[in-house]
Amino acid sequence: MFQNVFEALQNNQFLEAESLLEKMVIANPGNPDVLHLMGVVCGMQHRPIDALVFFEQALQITPDNPALLFNAAKALSTLQRDAEALEYHRRAISLDPENPDIWLNYGRSLDNLRQREEALVCYEKAVALQPNMTEGWFNKGKIFGELKRYEEALHAYIAAYHLRPTEPFLLGIILHYKMLICDWADLEGMYLKVQEDLRAHQLVAEPFGFQGISDSEKDLLETAKIFAKQRFPAKENISAASPFKKKNEKIRIAYLCGEFRDQATSVLMTGVYECHDPEYFEIYALDNGWDDGGVLRPRMKNAFKEIIDISQKTDHQVIQLIQELNIDILVNLNGYFGEGRQNIFASHPAPIQVNYLGFPGTLGADYMDYLIADPIVIPPDSRQHYVEKIAYMPHSYQANDAKRIISERQFSRAELGLPENAFVYCCFNNNYKITPETFDRWMRILKAVDGSVLWLIQDNEAAEKNLQAEALKRGISSDRIIFAKRLPLPEHLARHKMADLFLDTLPYNAHTTASDALWAGVPVLTLSGQTFPGRVSASLLGALGIEGLIAKTPEEYEQRAIELARDKSALQVIKEHLAENRLVKPLFDTPRFTQNLEALYKKMYERHEAGLAPDHISEL
């Protein structure tokens, strides 16, 4: 009888195999092998709940079967019940410690539970036992990346690529990790290969990493659409299936995010949460992250109706929660960045779903209704490159918190490693935003301005060494590239006073870091790009009334940077203008920004209530 089952499985006749096994279960209900195989067949049909029932029954009879424990753990992981899966993994490992597949899946469960160091141990063990295991090397790369051990991550991803060059999105990941450590060897060739594969509609790049190097809105749209379809495909529209929900007294907004802590998203958004009008709106935080005990968390707790921890809830449980809360507008503050839960949005549990802030671009998914932007980051003639309908803010789309604290600590240039009388250019953007073209511009600027230095954020040791080496290649002494250790935000803002001019990057501008500099009184010189992430600084400067720092060409960017270093009086006028505008122009006016944002939310809501499909809207 088993032979007939295996023949049916070989022919992908799952229902036939299941029918044969059902007869065997009836004939011999206590046979653990039959129960085990029945569970496997259910799993092959994407029915993990049914599979788990049979595995549990078999384990009652043979509790020390490692293959059975392994399959039960896999079923639990599929159901997002990784905490329960751990004990099964441990028991399986104790019985079969030389099985690389058990170590791999044990690591996945630990990884899903954010126990990353422990997960890494499992992946190391898996590849030690089976060196040609692509998944083991790939997962090692993922963990190293999350632990900010970027050079090791790159090596692991390259090992995976050598084993399986067709692994989805892997080449793009390798490209991004080379940029994270500023390893520019054959960067252009790799970029052109990714671009070629992308235009052939292949699974070659993840959207977030590709934004750091692409200057094509068309390519970024294609990247997002491919990624959404492969990783987060649309599911049944739950909201549309329940059209007669009870109307709330106030518009209920849920912000779903993994960064309700001292992180860039909350640095920008906390003031907005506080300024929401409680007469018209009731706001909830669906937290896929953790409480870091930082300074922002108490403010957010006071601002929200409730902060709900969803980090250990399954997608189904979160979807149920959203429906129970009767949410009207569900805001995705992650997109393809950070600790997101994109699969939640794929089921469309709320009638209105909004992409905002965390990912500066389209998510490429039809189940996202709106993208909040402004006319600079997405001009009207660029709408064709965005799947969502655009909800236009009147000034900059980027939120800012006017309560951001600048430490009173007084830094000296000496303690920061800066020359006392040098002109200090700075850029505190993440290292992956520094492209060879941007660095070339910076080095030409340093050559033209005697004794000037470039002050960068110290992100990782490999990037620091690579950038110093690249400076030497361009005839600039490495001691003119100075690295700033990371500090708590109030102190980081305070040390900005030691800088003279912030030099922006392209094709991915400064975003939060530009707001940091402007809030701290440092002018930002930007070069406006061809994509959403490449036009953000222009948006910020426009909302601050300092359009004169927006260069249209690389030549203008370089010339302006040189002129401002040589003409201290002109730079001082700009700094005085910045100081005057900071508290009167729209950029840092959090109450005004929130009112404009709420006007968009109301228009979205009114369209939905009127039975109208989402469409491009403006606050005005």
Side-chain angles (χ1 to χ4, degrees):
M1 186 67 79
F2 274 118
Q3 181 63 35
N4 293 337
V5 173
F6 293 136
E7 287 177 2
L9 291 176
Q10 287 176 345
N11 294 317
N12 294 323
Q13 296 173 334
F14 299 123
L15 294 178
E16 173 66 19
E18 187 173 353
S19 176
L20 291 168
L21 285 167
E22 284 174 348
K23 294 174 183 176
M24 294 170 70
V25 169
I26 293 171
N28 191 356
N31 187 323
D33 294 332
V34 175
L35 293 169
H36 187 175
L37 189 53
M38 188 69 167
V40 170
V41 172
C42 289
M44 293 171 76
Q45 296 177 82
H46 307 291
R47 290 159 43 202
I49 294 176
D50 294 336
L52 187 60
V53 170
F54 287 108
F55 294 147
E56 294 281 13
Q57 289 177 6
L59 283 168
Q60 294 294 322
I61 303 164
T62 54
D64 294 330
N65 182 332
L68 187 52
L69 289 162
F70 170 70
N71 283 326
K74 283 180 64 178
L76 286 165
S77 294
T78 302
L79 293 166
Q80 297 180 299
R81 293 163 58 182
D82 288 287
E84 297 172 64
L86 291 183
E87 180 57 30
Y88 289 89
H89 284 307
R90 293 188 186 107
R91 287 166 58 191
I93 284 292
S94 68
L95 294 164
D96 189 5
E98 301 301 306
N99 188 321
D101 291 323
I102 298 177
W103 283 108
L104 179 71
N105 282 281
Y106 187 13
R108 284 174 177 157
S109 285
L110 289 164
D111 191 357
N112 290 337
L113 293 167
R114 295 179 182 148
Q115 297 179 34
R116 285 163 180 148
E117 297 280 4
E118 295 87 345
L120 181 59
V121 171
C122 292
Y123 295 147
E124 296 272 19
K125 186 70 175 178
V127 297
L129 290 166
Q130 187 176 323
N132 64 345
M133 178 185 279
T134 304
E135 292 83 357
W137 286 105
F138 186 95
N139 290 353
K140 274 183 63 176
K142 175 181 176 294
I143 294 293
F144 279 135
E146 290 168 344
L147 295 173
K148 300 188 184 302
R149 295 163 60 178
Y150 300 135
E151 196 167 20
E152 293 167 281
L154 178 60
H155 292 156
Y157 281 130
I158 290 173
Y161 184 79
H162 286 154
L163 291 167
R164 188 187 299 159
T166 57
E167 178 69 22
F169 311 112
L170 181 51
L171 187 59
I173 291 171
I174 290 172
L175 176 62
H176 180 57
Y177 272 83
K178 282 176 69 69
M179 294 179 68
L180 279 164
I181 65 170
C182 300
D183 174 1
W184 299 333
D186 195 33
L187 192 73
E188 183 178 2
M190 187 175 292
Y191 168 67
L192 292 174
K193 168 65 174 169
V194 169
Q195 188 181 62
E196 179 185 351
D197 289 353
L198 177 68
R199 292 176 179 179
H201 312 294
Q202 295 182 29
L203 311 181
V204 68
E206 293 185 344
F208 180 76
F210 197 56
Q211 284 184 326
I213 196 168
S214 176
D215 61 359
S216 166
E217 283 184 302
K218 184 178 180 180
D219 286 350
L220 292 179
L221 170 63
E222 181 69 11
T223 309
K225 288 172 72 173
I226 290 172
F227 191 68
K229 184 178 180 180
Q230 175 70 13
R231 290 285 174 84
F232 307 106
K235 301 173 185 175
E236 179 189 1
N237 188 325
I238 292 174
S239 178
S242 307
F244 303 111
K245 74 185 193 76
K246 179 183 176 183
K247 188 171 182 178
N248 298 312
E249 292 182 8
K250 304 174 184 178
I251 297 175
R252 288 190 182 175
I253 300 174
Y255 289 96
L256 196 156
C257 184
E259 287 75 31
F260 290 109
R261 58 183 189 279
D262 286 2
Q263 188 273 344
T265 301
S266 292
V267 166
L268 297 174
M269 284 294 293
T270 298
V272 174
Y273 304 143
E274 292 174 327
C275 288
H276 266 308
D277 188 343
E279 183 177 348
Y280 294 100
F281 296 91
E282 192 170 88
I283 63 170
Y284 294 82
L286 303 182
D287 184 10
N288 194 49
W290 58 91
D291 183 346
D292 65 346
V295 296
L296 293 177
R297 188 74 176 201
R299 289 177 58 191
M300 287 187 279
K301 284 182 179 177
N302 289 331
F304 285 107
K305 175 80 172 179
E306 189 176 0
I307 296 181
I308 304 170
D309 183 0
I310 63 168
S311 62
Q312 299 304 313
K313 294 183 184 295
T314 66
D315 291 345
H316 179 68
Q317 288 172 329
V318 178
I319 289 166
Q320 282 188 316
L321 172 66
I322 291 166
Q323 292 185 295
E324 289 167 5
L325 291 172
N326 208 23
I327 297 301
D328 296 302
I329 301 174
L330 182 63
V331 183
N332 186 345
L333 287 175
N334 279 106
Y336 300 134
F337 163 80
E339 304 284 349
R341 294 288 292 273
Q342 186 67 15
N343 269 326
I344 303 298
F345 293 87
S347 293
H348 217 303
I352 302 166
Q353 301 200 144
V354 179
N355 169 19
Y356 179 50
L357 196 62
F359 182 79
T362 182
L363 295 180
D366 290 333
Y367 49 77
M368 297 306 303
D369 301 308
Y370 293 99
L371 168 56
I372 293 174
D374 63 56
I376 293 178
V377 294
I378 304 181
D381 60 1
S382 287
R383 289 175 185 166
Q384 61 184 308
H385 301 303
Y386 299 82
V387 172
E388 305 90 337
K389 298 301 181 182
I390 310 304
Y392 282 106
M393 292 289 283
H395 307 291
S396 177
Y397 85 103
Q398 184 177 283
N400 277 284
D401 179 9
K403 294 181 181 178
R404 252 195 287 186
I405 297 170
I406 300 177
S407 171
E408 295 182 0
R409 179 178 172 184
Q410 296 296 314
F411 289 92
S412 69
R413 283 195 166 187
E415 70 180 294
L416 296 170
L418 298 168
E420 195 62 40
N421 298 313
F423 189 91
V424 177
Y425 294 104
C426 74
C427 181
F428 296 130
N429 292 357
N430 283 315
N431 292 164
Y432 72 84
K433 296 184 181 182
I434 305 173
T435 64
E437 293 76 17
T438 291
F439 199 71
D440 285 342
R441 292 181 199 118
W442 290 350
M443 294 305 98
R444 286 193 291 268
I445 291 166
L446 291 188
K447 273 186 180 179
V449 180
D450 291 340
S452 60
V453 297
L454 178 61
W455 195 19
L456 305 175
I457 199 69
Q458 190 177 58
D459 191 45
N460 63 86
E461 186 177 347
E464 186 174 343
K465 290 180 179 178
N466 286 332
L467 288 171
Q468 288 173 331
E470 292 292 340
L472 286 171
K473 288 180 187 177
R474 291 160 176 79
I476 297 294
S477 173
S478 60
D479 61 9
R480 293 179 69 183
I481 313 295
I482 299 166
F483 293 89
K485 295 180 179 179
R486 292 191 181 273
L487 290 176
L489 183 57
E491 293 183 12
H492 174 57
L493 292 174
R495 71 179 169 185
H496 275 71
K497 295 176 185 177
M498 298 298 103
D500 294 300
L501 181 66
F502 187 110
L503 295 178
D504 201 7
T505 51
L506 198 73
Y508 200 130
N509 286 171
H511 293 191
T512 307
T513 46
S515 286
D516 289 344
L518 295 169
W519 182 246
V522 180
V524 174
L525 176 64
T526 192
L527 177 57
S528 188
Q530 303 300 314
T531 66
F532 185 143
R535 294 189 283 243
V536 168
S537 290
S539 166
L540 301 179
L541 289 165
L544 203 53
I546 310 182
E547 292 86 350
L549 290 175
I550 305 169
K552 297 295 188 292
T553 67
E555 293 76 18
E556 181 187 351
Y557 172 90
E558 291 180 35
Q559 190 59 38
R560 194 83 171 105
I562 295 165
E563 288 172 353
L564 289 173
R566 292 174 176 171
D567 188 347
K568 300 294 176 62
S569 60
L571 182 60
Q572 185 58 34
V573 169
I574 291 172
K575 288 186 175 182
E576 290 171 0
H577 193 193
L578 171 56
E580 291 169 4
N581 288 6
R582 194 181 72 145
L583 298 180
V584 296
K585 291 292 184 177
L587 184 62
F588 294 112
D589 188 341
T590 311
R592 180 178 177 180
F593 177 93
T594 308
Q595 289 171 6
N596 292 333
L597 181 63
E598 289 177 342
L600 289 180
Y601 286 155
K602 287 176 181 177
K603 288 191 175 184
M604 296 174 192
Y605 181 78
E606 288 164 0
R607 286 192 65 85
H608 180 267
E609 289 297 294
L612 299 173
D615 201 356
H616 304 297
I617 56 175
S618 170
E619 181 274 339
L620 298 175

